[in-house]
Amino acid sequence: VVAARLDYLRLAEHPKRGHHFIQEAILALALAGGFVAILSAPFSLPLKLVWIFLLSALASYRSFRLTAEPLAARRAFLFSLLVAQVATFFAWAIFAYAGSAPEGVFAAMLLLSWYINRGVIRHTAEETLNRQVAVEYGLFAALLAFLFALSYRPPG
């Protein structure tokens, strides 16, 4: 309901400071909750990967179409597929090499990989990728690598 109200205010050209941050936070919490639900469900690995792909694609499309400067529908669709592809590949890597990670940590790693990839694509498309943005995503990537290293277990 809050996200819908913020969308309405933005479309009516009455956005206020902080609305963008609140929309991003709502999207991130919903996405993390969806990841936890998928990871804790008794699905097979291929079905979990399909659900992760779909959830990542839908969240990315919403982000590209409704937050900041909206991208055209075709570009948003293509970019959302690219983000979902990377998030799904990373999910497969986590299942293969860090499968013993708790669902919360696993979901946090997926959320970080989604956020980094989506942000880099968005800033590249908007031509706002600068040193500060690169440092921000680099720090998130370091956190992701740290969480992955903590959860790593050798195959076999």
Side-chain angles (χ1 to χ4, degrees):
V1 171
V2 172
R5 177 67 180 160
L6 295 177
D7 289 341
Y8 172 76
L9 289 173
R10 188 188 59 78
L11 292 173
E13 298 186 11
H14 298 300
K16 295 192 174 36
R17 277 186 87 191
H19 282 190
H20 177 71
F21 176 76
I22 293 170
Q23 283 184 311
E24 290 289 326
I26 290 170
L27 182 63
L29 288 173
L31 187 60
F35 285 150
V36 168
I38 291 168
L39 295 172
S40 62
F43 298 142
S44 64
L45 178 61
L47 193 55
K48 284 183 181 184
L49 292 176
V50 166
W51 277 111
I52 289 170
F53 181 85
L54 288 174
L55 190 63
S56 299
L58 290 172
S60 299
Y61 186 77
R62 176 175 171 40
S63 174
F64 289 138
R65 289 291 292 158
L66 295 176
T67 58
E69 281 296 315
L71 297 178
R74 288 183 183 185
R75 290 183 80 195
F77 180 72
L78 174 65
F79 292 156
S80 67
L81 292 180
L82 293 173
V83 171
Q85 178 184 4
V86 170
T88 305
F89 176 75
F90 194 75
W92 172 79
I94 295 171
F95 277 119
Y97 296 107
S100 63
E103 285 89 2
V105 175
F106 201 146
M109 288 191 284
L110 286 176
L111 182 65
L112 282 171
S113 70
W114 176 85
Y115 179 76
I116 293 166
N117 193 23
R118 189 228 23 171
V120 168
I121 288 175
R122 170 163 290 287
H123 285 289
T124 303
E126 292 177 351
E127 296 182 4
T128 58
L129 189 62
N130 57 28
R131 183 177 300 178
Q132 293 171 329
V133 173
V135 167
E136 174 191 348
Y137 291 118
L139 291 174
F140 280 123
L143 176 61
L144 179 60
F146 176 72
L147 289 173
F148 190 81
L150 281 179
S151 303
Y152 177 76
R153 63 172 169 75

